[in-house]
Amino acid sequence: MNDAFPLATAAGDADIPPYAARLNPPQREAVLTTEGPVLMLAGAGTGKTSALTARLAHLVAMRLAWPSEILCVTFTNKAAREMRERVGRHIGDAVEGMPWLGTFHAIGAKMLRRHAELVGLQSNFTIIDPDDQLRLLKTLIAEAELDEKRWPARQLAGLIDRWKNRGLNPQDLDAVENEAYANGRGAQLYKTYQARLQSLNACDFGDLLLHMLNIFRQHSDVLEQYQNRFKYILVDEYQDTNQVQYLWLRLLAQHRKNICVVGDDDQSIYSWRGAEVANILKFEKDFPGAKVIKLEQNYRSTPHILGAASGLIGENSQRLGKELWTETDTGEKVRVIGVWDGPEEARRVGEEIESLERGGVGLDEIAILVRAQYQTREFEDRFIQIGMAYRIVGGFRFYERAEIRDALAYLRVIAQPADDLAFERIYNQPKRGLGAKTLEKMYQHARRTGMPLAAASLDLADSDELPARARGTIGGLMRQFLQWREQADSLAPAELLRQVLEESGYQAMLENERTPEAKGRLENLSELARAMEDYETLGDFLEHVALVMDNDANAEDAKVTIMTIHAAKGLEFDHLFLVGWEEGVFPSQRSLDEGGLASLEEERRLAYVAITRAKKACTILHAANRRIYGQWTSSIPSRFIEELPDDHVESETTMSGGASLWRANWSESEDPFAHVTRDRPERSNNRGPGWQRALATGYETRPTRVQESRRSAASFAAKPRDDIALGARVFHDKFGYGTVMGQEGNKLEIEFETTGTKRVIDSFVKPAD
């Protein structure tokens, strides 16, 4: 061993350097054990950043290595900056000589520029962003004569990213991976994509490490150069490494084996972006004789919070094991509160926060954590009603998300045909082949005639100023809007939205992307439809949204934080509300369906992360009923509630165990859905106060000039075609070939060969050849 200091003893404390003297014994051991592989197993809130930065400072201060001989890898630029600042406070200007302190991507790029020629690139290669990647992939898909609507570029981009995260080159893909795209053409398109990048002297983010991994494997002299250079390797958040990062690090560390990784297997929550918890679990196998140092003293939370979190995570089998403890006061038990439904959950949280605020607690010290982004909507609406200031962290406010804005734009054009801004947003969304030149001509015609943009576009559809295809597309779109506008009085707003999303092709666009992001966007749209069920008219709902969007308080004011659990990792709050703890919501049913037991354990780790964000008080809420996809369903509490140790949990009402309190909200003889009829007034086609309010705010439900000048178009939209009959085979530009299974007026029910059964307007299909 080449330790500069032995472990501290009572007699030797005076010899401990200042940056180590402030640490507790396990932290100090992690700093002073400089030789050989070290796993710093650091629980939540145990001061792992302090220990890691002190270790880095120790290596430099004791001259065990020059700053340029230390590789220190982080996951974010923020973490790298923070580490550089902290180390600088310990060792001064010497930190400026640390060129190898940074993120995986930054260090990979630095290495690759030195050896670019070994993978057919020049040192000044370009790193393309995701938008450039999608454009390139769309070009390659077209060149391969594939239907990009059926095989979206975004899906291929996600697969390529996954393959690169696993360290797989095109030739490494097995038959299953190859079949994941375009019926066995995945490997060839991946190969073509890599070749095209090379011809452009470019690479994507995944290449920064994959190229270097290939270089290390194929050029031993380059690998030896870096193995000799780096006397010490330090890695933060090791539990979040993916396969290519793991392989890259393991090769670099094999010579000297002076690698220290810091992480917590109980906080590995990013498998959806390639992280593998197995990397930290097998560290001792990868580096025999590794020293495992557990940081278990927590400086954040109360004993009850830690006890609840530890009891929960103890249900996982895939973990190394540790027991968090603290010297702080006992504090409050974790509260578990059962409520009737989602709206009551939002009301209850609002009341709790108002009570805390009256008691002197600042809003900045309070947070609400959700499992999925769509859950934020009810809290936003409630806080607007009671005037509670809030912020959404790690994402947009619900009504600011792109898919929500798109849906609202459709509804705004239906309600008010003169809303040019809304029409411009969605005239080509989803893609209809109407580009910037078409929009420019629309605006020119609108200015000449004094017509709204939508009316002007319909005028152009009857002229020769646009190509025939564009005229047909615009005419079809305007016929759709005329029909939706006619239906606005007879359909509930939520049902109108669902119809618009389906018939416009917007829903199909997201479904065809087949990415986790697209699934989340679909969930948000479902939640939007659910929100609309509380409003009798479209005008009422749009007015509500306008008021919500106007909530733009001073950014410096104290606000309640609303965020997902994933976004909260690394943060802490005095008072925490964990909402939606029901089966299917948390743990997520989608995660369980896709990943089975491994996903369940990750969901449990996510619950552990959520609880350990709380410093003083943690409240968990679950509802007996949820409205999901427009339907009321009876919910049962999350299994995670049952797994919380009773000694650390306090239920507002209890029966048997911590998980049964929801049954106190209603008896089995009571109909849990009876309140649906009670809460929702019966719809009427008569125009009531909501109609007057809609007119007052400028929302019209019928066109004026457009309807006057285009009555023939409206009547055409309602007239069924006589050249398409039941059983006929037809073709749709978005959905492909299908068979007519039903017909109602001008609306057809078609079973498509690749996308299932859809209801579409007959003007959007043509008889198949």
Side-chain angles (χ1 to χ4, degrees):
M1 297 289 288
N2 189 31
D3 289 345
F5 292 101
L7 292 181
T9 62
D13 280 352
D15 296 327
I16 301 298
Y19 49 77
R22 293 189 291 268
L23 304 177
N24 64 39
Q27 289 175 322
R28 191 179 305 163
E29 182 182 6
V31 169
L32 304 181
T33 305
T34 59
E35 305 306 305
V38 175
L39 168 58
M40 198 189 307
L41 196 60
T46 56
K48 59 101 174 172
T49 302
S50 296
L52 185 61
T53 53
R55 179 183 175 90
L56 184 55
H58 181 67
L59 296 175
V60 176
M62 297 296 101
R63 299 186 180 180
L64 298 175
W66 293 106
S68 60
E69 295 175 325
I70 300 173
L71 172 64
C72 184
V73 189
T74 66
F75 268 85
T76 66
N77 289 316
K78 178 182 177 182
R81 287 194 301 271
E82 181 181 356
M83 187 168 295
R84 190 176 293 275
E85 291 170 0
R86 288 198 184 194
V87 173
R89 289 197 289 268
H90 293 316
I91 62 175
D93 294 341
V95 72
E96 298 303 323
M98 302 191 71
W100 302 104
L101 192 165
T103 65
F104 278 101
H105 285 139
I107 292 171
K110 185 190 292 287
M111 289 181 174
L112 187 55
R113 293 202 184 276
R114 298 184 175 194
H115 309 284
E117 73 284 353
L118 297 179
V119 289
L121 297 174
Q122 301 173 36
S123 60
N124 63 342
F125 61 81
T126 300
I127 304 173
I128 65 172
D129 62 26
D131 288 340
D132 291 333
Q133 182 190 34
L134 283 178
R135 282 196 292 271
L136 176 55
L137 288 175
K138 287 180 180 180
T139 299
L140 299 182
I141 291 169
E143 291 176 357
E145 299 182 346
L146 290 171
D147 182 2
E148 204 266 333
K149 295 175 181 176
R150 182 178 180 187
W151 301 106
R154 196 174 297 277
Q155 180 191 3
L156 181 57
L159 286 170
I160 290 175
D161 183 59
R162 188 179 78 186
W163 293 331
K164 291 183 177 181
N165 285 342
R166 293 168 58 194
L168 299 176
N169 296 287
Q171 65 272 18
D172 301 324
L173 301 187
D174 59 24
V176 174
E177 294 290 353
N178 189 35
E179 287 289 333
Y181 186 82
N183 298 324
R185 301 181 67 177
Q188 182 56 51
L189 282 165
Y190 181 13
K191 181 178 180 181
T192 303
Y193 170 68
Q194 292 300 98
R196 189 64 58 88
L197 285 177
Q198 187 181 66
S199 69
L200 295 170
N201 190 35
C203 64
D204 60 26
F205 284 100
D207 286 325
L208 297 176
L209 286 182
L210 181 60
H211 279 326
M212 284 310 305
L213 180 62
N214 290 333
I215 290 172
F216 286 164
R217 285 170 165 172
Q218 298 165 16
H219 300 274
S220 58
D221 58 325
V222 177
L223 176 59
E224 290 174 6
Q225 173 186 334
Y226 286 101
Q227 287 177 334
N228 291 327
R229 169 186 289 273
F230 298 131
K231 292 184 177 180
Y232 296 95
I233 298 175
L234 290 80
V235 188
D236 194 13
E237 303 288 7
Y238 191 67
Q239 78 281 347
D240 293 335
T241 53
N242 58 35
Q243 185 70 359
V244 73
Q245 292 164 342
Y246 161 78
L247 294 171
W248 180 79
L249 285 166
R250 194 175 67 173
L251 283 174
L252 287 172
Q254 282 305 311
H255 178 54
R256 297 180 183 272
K257 294 185 171 56
N258 286 336
I259 180 171
C260 174
V261 302
V262 183
D264 183 2
D265 53 325
D266 292 334
Q267 295 189 72
S268 180
I269 58 174
Y270 296 116
S271 65
W272 48 274
R273 67 184 189 195
E276 296 191 15
V277 67
N279 294 344
I280 192 170
L281 296 177
K282 63 184 179 182
F283 183 81
E284 292 177 90
K285 180 179 178 181
D286 289 333
F287 298 96
K291 188 174 188 61
V292 179
I293 301 173
K294 297 182 180 181
L295 305 188
E296 297 173 304
Q297 183 176 359
N298 179 279
Y299 294 95
R300 175 189 299 157
S301 307
T302 65
H304 278 311
I305 291 172
L306 295 182
S310 296
L312 174 63
I313 199 62
E315 297 292 326
N316 271 6
S317 60
Q318 296 296 310
R319 62 189 300 259
L320 296 172
K322 58 187 172 305
E323 193 71 29
L324 298 184
W325 61 276
T326 181
E327 294 179 344
T328 61
D329 294 337
T330 302
E332 303 175 8
K333 289 186 176 183
V334 173
R335 290 193 303 159
V336 176
I337 298 176
V339 296
W340 175 251
D341 57 16
E344 184 182 340
E345 180 182 61
R347 289 194 296 271
R348 179 61 186 267
V349 171
E351 291 168 359
E352 294 271 342
I353 293 175
E354 287 179 319
S355 176
L356 288 172
E357 191 176 22
R358 288 193 296 270
V361 176
L363 293 183
D364 284 338
E365 300 168 0
I366 304 170
I368 301 168
L369 302 189
V370 299
R371 173 62 181 87
Q373 287 190 338
Y374 73 85
Q375 293 174 258
T376 68
R377 202 274 312 163
E378 280 187 335
F379 294 96
E380 293 184 65
D381 283 358
R382 179 60 184 168
F383 289 176
I384 290 296
Q385 292 174 11
I386 65 176
M388 178 76 67
Y390 70 91
R391 66 168 66 86
I392 301 293
V393 175
F396 296 104
R397 293 189 297 179
F398 183 81
Y399 293 106
E400 291 176 344
R401 291 166 185 149
E403 63 276 10
I404 302 300
R405 283 185 174 274
D406 288 343
L408 291 175
Y410 272 101
L411 297 175
R412 284 165 53 189
V413 175
I414 292 171
Q416 173 53 277
D419 192 333
D420 288 357
L421 293 177
F423 184 75
E424 180 181 346
R425 183 179 182 93
I426 49 83
Y427 81 101
N428 195 38
Q429 181 72 331
K431 301 299 183 185
R432 300 184 173 93
L434 303 175
K437 290 183 179 180
T438 301
L439 180 62
E440 183 180 351
K441 289 184 178 181
M442 289 180 188
Y443 265 118
Q444 290 173 351
H445 189 72
R447 286 193 293 268
R448 285 198 305 269
T449 61
M451 301 172 71
L453 195 59
S457 69
L458 192 53
D459 250 6
L460 283 178
D462 289 343
S463 72
D464 295 329
E465 294 186 42
L466 294 176
R469 181 175 180 181
R471 294 200 303 270
T473 300
I474 292 173
L477 177 63
M478 297 313 300
R479 286 194 293 273
Q480 281 190 312
F481 271 112
L482 286 168
Q483 179 165 331
W484 293 330
R485 200 165 290 125
E486 289 293 330
Q487 294 172 332
D489 276 346
S490 58
L491 287 179
E495 187 57 35
L496 178 64
L497 172 65
R498 295 185 183 103
Q499 190 161 314
V500 168
L501 293 175
E502 180 180 344
E503 295 176 356
S504 67
Y506 196 94
Q507 179 175 323
M509 174 190 73
L510 294 179
E511 289 172 344
N512 289 336
E513 282 187 13
R514 306 174 195 174
T515 63
E517 294 79 11
K519 290 178 181 178
R521 295 173 70 186
L522 285 167
E523 287 178 348
N524 289 339
L525 290 171
S526 294
E527 177 61 20
L528 176 64
R530 200 224 65 75
M532 294 179 70
E533 292 178 359
D534 296 330
Y535 296 85
E536 187 173 357
T537 70
L538 179 58
D540 285 346
F541 176 71
L542 291 173
E543 180 179 293
H544 164 74
V545 172
L547 294 174
V548 171
M549 297 294 284
D550 191 48
N551 178 45
D552 189 20
N554 191 317
E556 297 181 359
D557 290 347
K559 298 179 181 180
V560 176
T561 298
I562 308 176
M563 63 200 311
T564 65
I565 303 172
H566 281 101
K569 187 171 180 292
L571 302 179
E572 57 185 40
F573 300 91
D574 283 351
H575 297 268
L576 200 61
F577 294 89
L578 309 179
V579 298
W581 279 46
E582 300 117 35
E583 287 293 304
V585 178
F586 191 36
S588 160
Q589 190 61 49
R590 191 175 78 197
S591 294
L592 298 185
D593 291 343
E594 295 176 354
L597 179 60
S599 288
L600 173 60
E601 294 217 341
E602 178 157 332
E603 290 286 294
R604 190 176 284 112
R605 291 195 292 270
L606 193 58
Y608 169 84
V609 167
I611 295 173
T612 54
R613 301 309 95 195
K615 296 168 65 177
K616 296 180 179 179
C618 178
T619 302
I620 297 172
L621 294 98
H622 61 89
N625 304 286
R626 286 278 178 196
R627 206 179 320 188
I628 301 175
Y629 302 120
Q631 299 294 322
W632 280 103
T633 60
S634 179
S635 302
I636 62 173
S638 168
R639 68 191 73 191
F640 300 151
I641 293 178
E642 185 69 36
E643 294 168 357
L644 297 173
D646 288 341
D647 291 345
H648 301 290
V649 175
E650 178 180 79
S651 297
E652 190 167 273
T653 55
T654 62
M655 289 181 66
S656 57
S660 302
L661 61 114
W662 69 279
R663 294 190 178 274
N665 288 308
W666 56 278
S667 66
E668 292 186 357
S669 61
E670 180 183 355
D671 179 7
F673 307 111
H675 69 294
V676 176
T677 304
R678 184 170 65 248
D679 290 349
R680 280 292 308 276
E682 186 172 342
R683 279 191 56 81
S684 168
N685 289 333
N686 297 327
R687 298 177 179 178
W691 168 257
Q692 296 174 350
R693 186 158 56 253
L695 287 177
T697 56
Y699 295 115
E700 301 174 27
T701 58
R702 273 176 166 43
T704 52
R705 187 183 307 173
V706 175
Q707 188 178 34
E708 292 290 335
S709 61
R710 293 293 179 268
R711 290 187 184 276
S712 59
S715 62
F716 173 78
K719 182 180 178 181
R721 289 172 57 171
D722 54 12
D723 61 336
I724 295 178
L726 289 176
R729 194 163 184 265
V730 295
F731 179 81
H732 188 283
D733 285 340
K734 294 187 179 297
F735 306 140
Y737 290 97
T739 302
V740 178
M741 307 301 291
Q743 187 172 16
E744 181 181 353
N746 68 328
K747 185 170 293 183
L748 303 175
E749 182 174 322
I750 302 175
E751 184 173 297
F752 290 99
E753 295 174 359
T754 58
T755 56
T757 301
K758 306 284 185 184
R759 295 176 68 203
V760 301
I761 304 299
D762 58 12
S763 59
F764 283 79
V765 300
K766 59 185 179 182
D769 295 334

